[in-house]
Amino acid sequence: MSATTHPRIAVISLGGTIASTSAADEAGVAPSLDAGDLLTGVAGVGELADVTAVALQRVASSDLTISDALNLAREIEAQLVDGAVGVVVTQGTDTMEEMAFALDLLVAGDAPVVVTGAMRNATEAGADGPANLLDAVRVAISPAARGLGTLVVMNGEIHAARFVRKSHATSTAAFHSPSVGPLGWISEGRVRLALSVTPWPRVLGTMTASADIALIAASLGDDLRLVGQVVSLEYRGVVVDALGGGLVPSASVEALEALSATVPVVLASRAGAGDALRQTYRFAGSEIDVLSRGPISAGALDARKARVLLSLLVGSGASVEDCRRAFAVVNEAMFRE
Ligand code: DAS
């Protein structure tokens, strides 16, 4: 009888709650486990896949950077070239939506890249890390998950990186895709994918470096004077998390216009779902006013995802007009006409 061969995948660990444990005599937990340790705690993985464990980083996700995403994308591509059919990344949940979106933009090809983590650490009752990791492995080896870009698997649900957000500080059901819902779920170990997303068009080009991009939130009564500090603080662009469908206080429009003559300024909606507006309101600070002065619309990308895209574009040498085109292309690719 010949031995059964399993698909090969890689599990790459970066840290976060899923990797966190406590040290004797010290309060709190910190990342201390790596991919090999995490896999040891998950019964059944070896019956599904031949897993290569890669310990890449061991940090809280608040210490991850877009530059780390570029390194991670290179490691993922190396694993895929080496024969992995898919890759699982374990990391902290706090910046998971941004890292997953960066990988979605950076990793070429059809192989599933699945990001997961945990909301409860290993010392807590009901720790969710092992179940999330097992689900992520199932998705990484699933032929149905091919061509869907980077996915986030948490709490038994499968989310597209381009739509998912962390929306609860502690719940194990913290991840949602408010605009569209999850693409599918895992039930009795079966990967159930009901929806799909389209691959990013090649015209986005190869993004090889990141740039520092500021994210400034608009809020009640703030004139956004921070916008005037962006260049002196050596940011190479800014994303404004604007009010409602993409509006800002009228007192900020001249500063935004002046800044957008120098660096890309992107206007996103802070509402949490749906598109930033383009042609509804016409008054000082409205989206028609601001967009006519040079800023770029983030469209359906939320501010955090817009910042990731802008960082990779500017870091890779894109001009303001290149960035404008790229945001338009990404938004067209997110929807069927
Ligand atoms: N909030 C923790 C987590 O969910 C810490 C982190 O993001 O690294 O993993």
Side-chain angles (χ1 to χ4, degrees), residues 15-20 31 59-64 91-96 117-120 154 166 169 175:
T17 292
I18 191 170
S20 292
V59 296
S61 73
S62 44
D63 271 338
L64 292 171
Q91 70 155 90
T93 59
D94 294 349
T95 59
M96 186 180 281
M119 293 300 295
R120 294 182 183 155
M154 291 288 290
K166 181 176 179 179
F175 283 78

Side-chain angles (χ1 to χ4, degrees), residues 40-196:
T40 307
V42 186
V45 168
E47 288 146 39
L48 296 173
D50 170 13
V51 183
T52 303
V54 181
L56 200 59
Q57 290 179 262
R58 199 183 291 165
V59 296
S61 73
S62 44
D63 271 338
L64 292 171
T65 64
I66 300 175
S67 176
D68 290 332
L70 286 153
N71 287 338
L72 175 58
R74 283 189 281 273
E75 176 62 33
I76 290 170
E77 288 183 333
Q79 293 292 337
L80 296 175
V81 167
D82 209 30
V85 299
V87 175
V88 173
V89 175
T90 64
Q91 70 155 90
T93 59
D94 294 349
T95 59
M96 186 180 281
E97 65 203 63
E98 286 139 290
M99 182 63 83
F101 185 59
L103 297 178
D104 199 32
L105 295 168
L106 291 169
V107 179
D110 275 356
V113 176
V114 185
V115 186
T116 195
M119 293 300 295
R120 294 182 183 155
N121 68 70
T123 71
E124 292 179 281
D128 52 333
N132 288 339
L133 181 52
L134 185 58
D135 281 347
V137 168
R138 288 187 168 115
V139 175
I141 60 172
S142 168
R146 295 187 73 80
L148 298 180
T150 299
L151 300 166
V152 167
V153 170
M154 291 288 290
N155 197 41
E157 292 185 339
I158 306 164
H159 294 268
R162 62 195 70 176
F163 291 114
V164 73
R165 298 167 70 114
K166 181 176 179 179
S167 51
H168 196 286
T170 54
S171 170
T172 52
F175 283 78
H176 295 103
S177 299
S179 292
V180 295
L183 300 185
W185 55 88
I186 298 102
S187 174
E188 297 179 323
R190 292 169 77 200
V191 173
R192 311 291 284 155
L193 275 158
L195 304 175
S196 68

Side-chain angles (χ1 to χ4, degrees), residues 262-300:
T262 319
V263 298
V265 176
V266 173
L267 201 63
S269 161
R270 75 171 191 174
D275 287 272
L277 300 174
R278 291 159 198 270
Q279 50 183 18
T280 298
Y281 295 109
R282 180 173 293 285
F283 49 78
S286 70
E287 84 288 356
I288 292 179
D289 179 30
V290 177
L291 295 176
S292 74
R293 295 169 184 264
I296 299 166
S297 175

